[in-house]
Amino acid sequence: MTSIPTAPARRTGPGWWRSAVVYQVYPRSFADGNGDGIGDLRGIRDRLDHLQWLGVDVLWISPVYPSPMADNGYDVSDYHDVDPTYGTLEELDGLIADLHERGMKLVMDLVANHTSDEHPWFIDSSSSPESEKRDWYWWRDEPNNWGSFFSGPAWTYCEGRAAYYMHLFAKKQPDLNWENPEVRHAVYDILRWWLDRGVDGFRMDVINLISKDPELPEAPVMPGQKYGNMRQSVIDGPRVHEYLAEMHREVFDKYDRDLLLVGETGETTVEEGRKYTDPDRRELDMVLHYEHVEIDHGAFKWDVRPFDLGRLRERLAAWQTGLADAGWNSLYWDNHDQPRIVSRYGDDGRWRTESAKLLATVLHLQRGTPFVYQGDEIGMTNYPFVSIDEVDDVEGVNYYHEAVAAGEDPEDVMRSLRAMCRDNGRTPMQWDDGPGAGFTTGDPWLAINPNHTEINVAAQKDDPDSVLSHYRRLIRLRHEDPVVVDGDFTLLDDVHPQLFAFRRRHESGELVVLANFSSEEAELGDLAQECRGEVALGAEGGPVLAPWEARVYRR
Ligand code: ISL
Ligand code: CA
């Protein structure tokens, strides 16, 4: 039996996050401390032993601020408090203290591209064209043709202002106007307020959308679409780097602490990613790009395509090499917006355990900072959604109604939702095989996956071959082996139909990862010459990899 030692080694000082592992909690679905069926801060505090045992260094929690919950908290109505659903500010202070006591850090979600329409800023701004905050949002007498990311138009009419406001997401999420310096400074105040409270950094929601082309030009309309695709005018917009550098100067440079600054930058490119994260530019430490989680998207996310290993390998390698000498990668498969990776790129049936372990291996052994999303560590799967009534998420619900109204077969739409709907990643965390999965003693806000009777933390904790033990081993390897942190990256093969193989090289040695992304055996061919050294993870073996086998050599 393999023994699993504890006590991770932690680095401090500049760049400490290169050797760290982040764990993301979606508070609604992690642990319910008061039995009302919704996860909360009490629940998170009660489960910190799990995080410590796993060995993670940083906890990132999705928003817990007061919110009308049109988008589960990504619509903030007060940046300086905690929503009663999740607890109190005192409880959050308690969480910060608990984490610091355990040597862990807390990263908060900053949602500053938009606020809730119930935020006092928007209420004020929308009240009259004379409002002092009239330019805090994007108001126009006539809307342009942009569509929103969440279906429908990106503009909604407001009686009070007799004008339209822009919302790239739901209509209850009006976009802030970052062109206005007062808005930027109000956001910087929020950041300082939380840093002064003891938080250790931020994951900045859709931060690459904050700068829009101020002309707001009409956008191209794709075939079959009603509204224009505004991406060109909003993604990595004209002043985004200027704003982030200003934020750094105004806020982060003034704190002499080990902060972590992560930007969510959907649909950004390697070139832009490098700019955001080049330490000399003093913008962000790392970004969450989307390229590797859009491999199975067609023209848009609901147009589901088969997984393509070649494309995954090529895009991941592009980020590894693109940020090799400046900038830093974040590494993730899942978050609260993504379907479960084992159902997507792995095999959630016969090979669930093997493929979940393989996906973890290839992710964690790249160069960058890994993010574990709650449930990844036990190989949680997608939920078998049958009816739209089971879906809560605003993006999925809006899409369903729009597509069905446009004449699409509801069965086809449900098939897309089953594969891509964000609620796949939001079903409650599976702690044990009991009726509430150890998540709640009450009625869960979103259905628990029926497979929690088999897939749960309790069932995997003492099993050295479990997905959970594997995650723990990978995290420990990062803390102990400088090759994992600092080694360079080389893709070893770009044609094999089943293999993802790469090498990490460092003055202290090298690691080779050989992974078979298929349910059939894979011949290593020329790569068999890489089977040298000690097997650091996986089992000894010859020139053939078993289905979903990942083998790691260290020499
Ligand atoms: O995949 C998507 C686009 O079709 C979205 O789900 C994507 O994740 C979103 O564009 C960016 O996500 C972030 O901002 C959203 C919020 O709903 C997400 O939960 C958040 O992670 C708006 O705040
Ligand atoms: Ca609760």
Side-chain angles (χ1 to χ4, degrees), residues 303-376:
D303 173 19
V304 186
R305 296 297 166 85
F307 172 63
D308 176 348
L309 173 64
R311 173 125 186 96
L312 176 73
R313 196 167 50 194
E314 188 258 318
R315 291 324 298 156
L316 286 174
W319 279 87
Q320 288 286 306
T321 44
L323 273 57
D325 54 0
W328 188 252
N329 270 294
S330 68
L331 308 167
Y332 75 96
W333 287 129
D334 282 325
N335 57 44
H336 62 290
D337 295 332
Q338 299 296 333
R340 291 285 177 180
I341 202 65
V342 66
S343 298
R344 224 178 151 183
Y345 296 176
D347 175 343
D348 65 5
R350 174 163 176 207
W351 304 105
R352 189 188 63 85
T353 299
E354 291 78 3
S355 61
K357 285 157 82 168
L358 170 143
L359 287 160
T361 301
V362 301
L363 189 81
H364 281 245
L365 297 185
Q366 288 174 56
R367 183 181 161 95
T369 298
F371 285 60
V372 179
Y373 177 59
Q374 64 186 46
D376 278 352

Side-chain angles (χ1 to χ4, degrees), residues 1-2 4 53 456-469 472-473:
M1 200 172 110
T2 336
I4 306 170
W53 176 87
N456 62 69
V457 173
Q460 296 188 21
K461 190 147 184 195
D462 298 321
D463 174 2
D465 296 323
S466 66
V467 179
L468 183 57
S469 298
R472 192 164 181 241
R473 243 176 250 125

Side-chain angles (χ1 to χ4, degrees), residues 71 114 169 203 205-206 264 290 301 336-337 395 422:
D71 188 17
H114 45 268
F169 294 92
R203 172 271 189 189
D205 191 60
V206 291
E264 186 208 24
Y290 284 27
K301 80 183 253 182
H336 62 290
D337 295 332
E395 182 195 44
R422 305 197 296 183

Side-chain angles (χ1 to χ4, degrees), residues 32-40 85:
D32 174 17
N34 66 353
D36 69 352
I38 305 176
D40 48 44
T85 314

Side-chain angles (χ1 to χ4, degrees), residues 26 60 62 71 74-75 109 111 113-114 149-150 169-170 173 203 205-206 209 231 264 266-267 290 294 297 301-302 335-338 393-395 422 426:
Y26 192 62
W60 149 33
S62 282
D71 188 17
Y74 282 92
D75 48 323
D109 218 304
V111 190
N113 171 68
H114 45 268
F149 284 111
F150 287 170
F169 294 92
Q173 294 169 298
R203 172 271 189 189
D205 191 60
V206 291
L209 301 182
R231 286 168 168 76
E264 186 208 24
E267 302 182 45
Y290 284 27
E294 293 179 338
H297 294 188
K301 80 183 253 182
W302 306 110
N335 57 44
H336 62 290
D337 295 332
Q338 299 296 333
D393 174 37
V394 58
E395 182 195 44
R422 305 197 296 183
R426 299 177 180 186

Side-chain angles (χ1 to χ4, degrees), residues 17 24 33 47 59 70 132 154 186 199 204 214 243 296 325 383 392 429-430 461 536:
W17 31 259
Q24 183 198 350
R47 294 290 185 177
L59 170 62
E132 274 185 17
V199 312
M204 303 176 191
Y243 295 159
D296 51 358
D325 54 0
Y383 184 88
D392 171 89
M429 177 69 182
Q430 297 169 198
K461 190 147 184 195

